[in-house]
Amino acid sequence: MEKFVFFGGKGGVGKTTMSAAYSVKCADAGLDTLVVSTDPAHSTSDVFDQELGDEPQAVEGRDGLWAMEIDPDEEVEHHLMETKRALGDQVSAALVNEIDRQIEMAHQTPGAYEAALFDRFVDVMRSSDDFDRVVFDTSPTGGTLRLLGLPDFLEGWIDRLRRKREKSIDLYEKAAIGNNEPRRVMDGDPILARLQERKEFFEYAGETLREHAAFFLVVNPDELSVRETRRAAEGLADRGLAVRGLAVNRLTPSPDDDENGRGARYLRDRVATERAHLRTLREEFEQPVVAEIETRVEEVKGDFLTEVADELDIEAAPPATPPDGSA
């Protein structure tokens, strides 16, 4: 199994439960494991019954397990301030206010949330040397796909910005010194250096996601969830990110054979409908079903979390070839 493992899916299908259970499975197998929530709902704190922050924190009562929750709003604000600082250092004082105004406007546009969250998301991967396995409880499917699609998009965008900057410097030098030997302004240009730094950042992200990450989709046995899962699997495949398996969550338990009341009849009809969707997942999807988790009466935490972990048919062994710069 790769070092980085992602659980995605439609909102409310149980990604937090699956990611927390799998992280327990990895920790019980002797791996130092970090589970990371990038979902605004922040349900991971509830699962482990303790308050979590945006830095790894040991999970109480679980050896070898750490957890953290990334606050999207805080990340957007941090991203805003960091962008202002980076650009403010590279322009004249007269332009700083205008630059700040433009950045404030940019952070109110669609995509700003994903860009800010993605930076933090990749920072966690790059600074994960202390962990054998990092498990991500991602945002609902649409947000996940936008996040995972950023590396290719931003690599190309930064390449175009670099070319425009290089052309601008070249024209400036020619205008300034005519036919004399060009000064090497380009070599020390801070904006080019910043663009190159960002390009390398996204190259790392793209390579890590393609080569050192495994993706699983959590699905409920209903038509809407199955359709969303099909679209998500296709969307990930389009980005070169193959889905390794489907975790089916919230299956209704069958009533006992001797139960014939109204409730039992309802449950049998419900079970029949869910089993039809389960057959669809098994027969029409390329990805294998790696878990069939029945609905619990109580919240899945504590011993119930261990039970779910035992039902996950997902390998917990560490990667044979860890990514560069990680344990």
Side-chain angles (χ1 to χ4, degrees):
M1 180 57 65
E2 287 79 1
K3 175 170 182 173
F4 304 107
V5 178
F6 296 79
F7 286 88
K10 183 175 175 290
V13 293
K15 298 181 298 296
T16 297
T17 299
M18 295 300 110
S19 59
Y22 180 64
S23 68
V24 167
K25 184 184 183 82
C26 292
D28 288 347
L31 303 182
D32 285 339
T33 302
L34 171 66
V35 59
V36 183
S37 172
T38 60
D39 192 329
H42 288 335
S43 301
T44 305
S45 288
D46 297 330
V47 169
F48 292 120
D49 267 335
Q50 68 182 85
E51 288 298 318
L52 299 170
D54 64 355
E55 294 294 335
Q57 183 176 331
V59 174
E60 296 167 4
R62 297 282 183 182
D63 292 338
L65 181 59
W66 289 259
M68 62 185 290
E69 289 183 330
I70 297 173
D71 187 311
D73 292 332
E74 287 186 7
E75 289 309 316
V76 170
E77 183 64 24
H78 174 76
H79 191 263
L80 172 65
M81 299 308 297
E82 181 63 21
T83 305
K84 283 183 178 181
R85 184 199 60 76
L87 289 178
D89 291 345
Q90 297 165 13
V91 299
S92 65
L95 289 176
V96 169
N97 288 339
E98 179 60 21
I99 288 289
D100 284 354
R101 190 177 74 83
Q102 294 290 336
I103 293 172
E104 290 275 3
M105 292 173 60
H107 274 75
Q108 298 173 22
T109 61
Y113 172 97
E114 284 83 6
L117 192 56
F118 190 78
D119 269 24
R120 182 73 170 113
F121 177 82
V122 177
D123 282 340
V124 171
M125 292 194 291
R126 296 182 84 172
S127 60
S128 63
D129 291 0
D130 292 337
F131 302 102
D132 304 310
R133 172 75 31 75
V134 182
V135 182
F136 288 90
D137 162 22
T138 66
S139 56
T141 307
T144 301
L145 292 178
R146 286 191 293 273
L147 282 174
L148 300 181
L150 280 177
D152 290 340
F153 169 77
L154 289 175
E155 281 181 47
W157 181 65
I158 287 174
D159 274 339
R160 290 193 294 275
L161 285 178
R162 278 182 54 85
R163 288 195 294 271
K164 288 182 181 296
R165 180 64 178 174
E166 288 169 355
K167 184 176 181 180
S168 172
I169 292 174
D170 182 58
L171 292 173
Y172 166 77
E173 289 181 338
K174 288 177 179 176
I177 59 179
N179 293 324
N180 297 328
E181 184 68 23
R183 293 174 295 162
R184 303 305 297 168
V185 174
M186 197 177 299
D187 287 345
D189 180 63
I191 294 178
L192 275 179
R194 175 67 174 173
L195 289 173
Q196 181 61 30
E197 176 187 318
R198 295 298 288 170
K199 184 173 186 293
E200 292 172 358
F201 179 88
F202 290 113
E203 285 174 342
Y204 166 85
E207 179 184 356
T208 301
L209 290 171
R210 287 188 292 268
E211 303 295 332
H212 303 290
F215 297 87
F216 294 88
L217 292 177
V218 184
V219 54
N220 291 162
D222 62 70
E223 186 172 351
L224 288 178
S225 185
V226 171
R227 287 183 178 181
E228 178 77 5
T229 300
R230 192 187 302 276
R231 287 192 292 268
E234 291 171 352
L236 287 167
D238 288 344
R239 292 171 171 84
L241 306 171
V243 176
R244 296 278 291 276
L246 308 174
V248 185
N249 190 35
R250 299 200 178 118
L251 287 162
T252 301
S254 299
D256 293 337
D257 292 339
D258 60 352
E259 295 184 74
N260 294 299
R262 181 181 177 187
R265 291 195 299 272
Y266 166 80
L267 287 176
R268 287 193 181 92
D269 289 344
R270 177 73 184 173
V271 168
T273 301
E274 292 180 357
R275 293 303 182 267
H277 291 307
L278 188 56
R279 282 195 301 273
T280 297
L281 292 169
R282 287 173 174 161
E283 296 171 4
E284 298 182 13
F285 283 67
E286 295 180 4
Q287 300 81 12
V289 172
V290 296
E292 297 177 21
I293 310 299
E294 287 191 347
T295 299
R296 263 68 173 178
V297 175
E298 299 180 34
E299 295 293 327
V300 178
K301 55 176 65 175
D303 292 339
F304 285 130
L305 200 58
T306 303
E307 287 181 13
V308 174
D310 292 339
E311 295 177 36
L312 291 176
D313 187 18
I314 304 176
E315 182 60 64
T321 54
D324 292 342
S326 53

